[in-house]
Amino acid sequence: MRKNIYILPILVIVVATALSSIFIVDERNKALVLRFGQIVNVVEEPGLGFKVPLLDEVVRYEDRILSLQTPTIEVTPADDRRLEVDAFVLYRIADIIQFRQAVSFGGLREAEAQLENILDGQIRAVLGSEGVTSNTILSPERSALMENIRVQAAARADALGLAVVEVRLRQTNLPEQNFDATLQRMIAERDREATDERARGREAASRVRALADRTYDEIIAEATRDARIIEGEADAERNRIFAEAYTKDPEFFEFYRSLAAYEEAIKGSNSTLVLSPDSEFFNYLRSDTGASAN
């Protein structure tokens, strides 16, 4: 009976010791086993782990992807339009030994404070680099800028044992005090672009009009030249016909020419001729025999 009294406490102590040497790591965590602050074991797979009771301490760390939102920061792109930007980052603890050595007892709070500083510097560096304007930040090229920030931040976060999964720029706004000035600058730029476009349009219109005027003058000159050539050929043909008619019947030719002269002389309703009745002009009016009546 007396032996049972001693056995029971011993069993309780053994069971308690056995239970205190066992710990559980679920799928959401990783764990470090520390002995007097020194790492003696790393548990990265879920399941049961073992430690030395009273000597070892188990520290668990998140194995899931974590998120962090940065405070709003002010950046100045290449076009000197100041912008207020905030971002959020997705990250995870990739190397818990490196993480423990980097942040010591600070844990996630210390790691996030350092990660904020890293992101602050990289956002300013990328968005303020040469060739990056406010229009670039607000354009589809924004995705490339965010990837550039992620790559550079990941390189520096590696020293903390962190893996940066993704960086996203949430809001990109103008500071309130700069909004009106920026709006006026944008209006002035658009007015200048419109003026330049109108000037280019007027220049193009002048070239078209000059080309049209030159083409018109060339067409008129060619038409005038062709008309004069045709007139000259017609006159030559007329003279040839007259010459042939004269050689065939000189008297009829004279009669024809006299009739043409009469038609020209008494054209109109108020034509008046003052001539001597004996003038040769009236030869074909005085006699039916024409010039033979002289």
Side-chain angles (χ1 to χ4, degrees):
M1 185 70 176
R2 182 173 294 180
K3 290 182 179 181
N4 291 336
I5 294 175
Y6 292 106
I7 292 174
L8 184 59
I10 293 173
L11 289 176
V12 171
I13 293 172
V14 171
V15 171
T17 302
L19 291 177
S20 64
S21 67
I22 298 173
F23 62 93
I24 299 174
V25 178
D26 66 26
E27 63 276 3
R28 297 170 297 177
N29 301 120
K30 296 178 181 180
L32 290 178
V33 180
L34 305 178
R35 182 174 302 162
F36 304 116
Q38 301 298 315
I39 300 172
V40 296
N41 191 20
V42 179
V43 182
E44 296 186 340
E45 298 297 330
L48 294 177
F50 299 93
K51 64 185 179 67
V52 176
L54 302 179
L55 297 180
D56 293 346
E57 174 190 4
V58 177
V59 181
R60 293 175 175 82
Y61 296 101
E62 285 283 353
D63 193 32
R64 294 175 294 180
I65 292 178
L66 305 173
S67 64
L68 171 67
Q69 183 173 331
T70 67
T72 299
I73 62 175
E74 192 171 285
V75 299
T76 304
D79 56 355
D80 292 330
R81 292 180 183 172
R82 289 191 297 167
L83 298 174
E84 291 181 344
V85 177
D86 63 353
F88 76 88
V89 57
L90 299 179
Y91 71 98
R92 60 187 295 270
I93 301 173
D95 187 336
I96 58 174
I97 296 178
Q98 183 73 25
F99 181 79
R100 175 72 182 185
Q101 293 172 345
V103 302
S104 186
F105 297 101
L108 276 179
R109 181 172 298 182
E110 174 64 21
E112 288 185 347
Q114 295 190 41
L115 186 56
E116 276 186 11
N117 292 333
I118 291 173
L119 287 170
D120 184 285
Q122 296 315 306
I123 290 173
R124 292 181 188 276
V126 172
L127 300 188
S129 60
E130 184 178 356
V132 177
T133 65
S134 55
N135 290 334
T136 306
I137 298 172
L138 298 174
S139 72
E141 296 179 40
R142 181 189 185 99
S143 298
L145 295 176
M146 291 188 293
E147 177 61 17
N148 195 5
I149 295 171
R150 187 200 69 78
V151 170
Q152 296 191 29
R156 287 160 177 77
D158 186 62
L160 300 175
L162 301 178
V164 178
V165 178
E166 187 172 10
V167 174
R168 288 288 176 181
L169 298 178
R170 294 181 66 250
Q171 299 185 51
T172 307
N173 300 319
L174 290 170
E176 190 64 33
Q177 65 271 23
N178 293 343
F179 182 80
D180 291 338
T182 302
L183 180 61
Q184 294 303 318
R185 186 187 305 170
M186 293 174 65
I187 292 173
E189 288 179 358
R190 297 301 178 270
D191 287 343
R192 185 179 67 251
E193 291 174 1
T195 300
D196 292 343
E197 193 66 28
R198 284 193 290 268
R200 287 193 291 271
R202 286 192 293 269
E203 182 182 354
S206 297
R207 288 198 299 269
V208 171
R209 281 194 293 268
L211 178 61
D213 290 343
R214 184 172 69 249
T215 303
Y216 170 81
D217 292 340
E218 290 174 354
I219 292 174
I220 293 299
E222 290 178 0
T224 301
R225 181 198 62 199
D226 294 344
R228 288 177 178 174
I229 291 173
I230 293 172
E231 287 177 356
E233 292 175 349
D235 289 342
E237 181 65 15
R238 181 193 62 184
N239 293 335
R240 185 187 66 78
I241 293 173
F242 280 163
E244 289 182 358
Y246 182 78
T247 56
K248 290 183 178 180
D249 193 341
E251 184 178 353
F252 175 79
F253 184 74
E254 290 293 337
F255 175 69
Y256 174 80
R257 290 186 62 189
S258 297
L259 292 180
Y262 295 154
E263 181 180 8
E264 235 4 83
I266 60 177
K267 184 182 296 184
S269 57
N270 295 319
S271 298
T272 303
L273 294 175
V274 180
L275 295 171
S276 170
D278 297 330
S279 173
E280 292 183 0
F281 185 75
F282 294 115
N283 280 348
Y284 289 98
L285 294 179
R286 290 197 307 267
S287 173
D288 292 338
T289 59
S292 60
N294 286 333

